[in-house]
Amino acid sequence: MAGQLIVGLDVSTRARAEEIVVALGDSVDFYKIGYQCFYGADGFALGKELLRAGKKVFFDLKLLDIDNTVEKGVAAIAATGATMLTIHAYPRTMRAAMRGAAGSGLCVLGVTVLTSMDDNDVREAGYERDAAGLVALRAQQAREAGIGGVVASPHEAEMVRTIMGPKPAIVTPGIRRAGSAMGDQKRAMTPAEALAAGATHLVVARPIVEAPDPGAAARAILAEMAGKRTSFA
């Protein structure tokens, strides 16, 4: 289960990120570095340091640009030895990303619909589909592009698995322990529910990094992933 849990280092300083890594110790071996950490905490250097320490790194950068820029950017990330990288799941962007990742071990993930968005948000953005319909379209396009997987809400994980088949990764943010506050997540699930729905990896940030004891919080989530009940709050 430890390899399926990705802890999001959503913090603004390198020192705080390193404190969390130390607190989690051997219980976590996979870390996500997104905008906040990448730009505010020298996250690129931190990611390379984690890789040298034998950890897995997921650069959550959601790349979207002209094809050449995406291809070269993906190639630069692939050269670090990172495990995962996000791009926006537009067909041309996904094809360009695959060219950039060619010959590497980098798993390129297409972001379908953010877990903070619901049907109204999707329509406001100009799509004549609901959130699930847009996720289905992006998943089909991701399969056609041959990328490594997608990022989707756990609520769409089962549908995505049906569309993409058994091999691609399905990475699900919006994970919250049973009974906890949802915050700005509109399509969240518990760890056990997300895995049962077909997710291969769970991304958890605030419930761990903002906990008084991040190590205890991570162990509680790992226990829930394994189907065990815990009293951690």
Side-chain angles (χ1 to χ4, degrees):
M1 290 294 173
Q4 295 177 281
L5 174 61
I6 304 174
V7 173
L9 292 174
D10 294 347
V11 295
S12 300
T13 68
R14 175 80 171 266
R16 179 57 183 151
E18 290 174 340
E19 286 176 359
I20 293 167
V21 172
V22 170
L24 297 180
D26 294 335
S27 62
V28 173
D29 64 2
F30 209 157
Y31 290 94
K32 178 183 78 74
I33 294 177
Y35 292 163
Q36 183 179 2
C37 184
F38 193 87
Y39 295 115
D42 197 11
F44 190 53
L46 173 63
K48 291 193 286 187
E49 180 181 293
L50 289 170
L51 289 165
R52 286 193 294 269
K55 303 292 187 180
K56 296 178 183 178
V57 173
F58 167 16
F59 284 110
D60 184 18
L61 302 181
K62 300 180 181 69
L63 302 182
L64 178 63
D65 212 308
I66 63 171
D67 295 359
N68 183 67
T69 299
V70 169
E71 181 179 344
K72 299 303 183 185
V74 171
I77 294 296
T80 68
T83 299
M84 291 177 170
L85 169 70
T86 49
I87 61 170
H88 279 280
Y90 292 98
R92 288 188 59 151
T93 303
M94 291 189 284
R95 292 193 292 268
M98 288 304 293
R99 293 193 295 272
S104 75
L106 181 66
C107 177
V108 176
L109 300 170
V111 177
T112 57
V113 177
L114 300 177
T115 52
S116 61
M117 298 177 69
D118 60 16
D119 292 345
N120 290 332
D121 297 317
V122 169
R123 293 191 185 97
E124 185 181 24
Y127 293 99
E128 295 182 356
R129 299 170 182 261
D130 59 12
L134 183 54
V135 171
L137 172 65
R138 296 299 188 221
Q140 180 60 43
Q141 292 169 332
R143 178 178 179 176
E144 292 168 358
I147 67 172
V150 298
V151 178
S153 158
H155 286 270
E156 282 92 46
E158 184 174 1
M159 175 186 69
V160 169
R161 178 59 67 209
T162 300
I163 294 169
M164 297 193 72
K167 292 186 177 180
I170 299 177
V171 178
T172 57
I175 302 299
R176 294 291 185 269
R177 296 193 65 224
S180 64
M182 293 294 104
D184 58 0
Q185 299 292 352
K186 296 180 179 177
R187 294 172 9 259
M189 272 190 182
T190 67
E193 289 171 338
L195 291 174
T200 59
H201 299 79
L202 311 185
V203 177
V204 184
R206 281 172 286 184
I208 292 176
V209 302
E210 295 182 3
D213 185 341
R219 290 190 294 273
I221 288 171
L222 287 166
E224 287 196 18
M225 291 169 66
K228 300 175 182 177
R229 294 186 179 182
T230 129
S231 60
F232 177 79

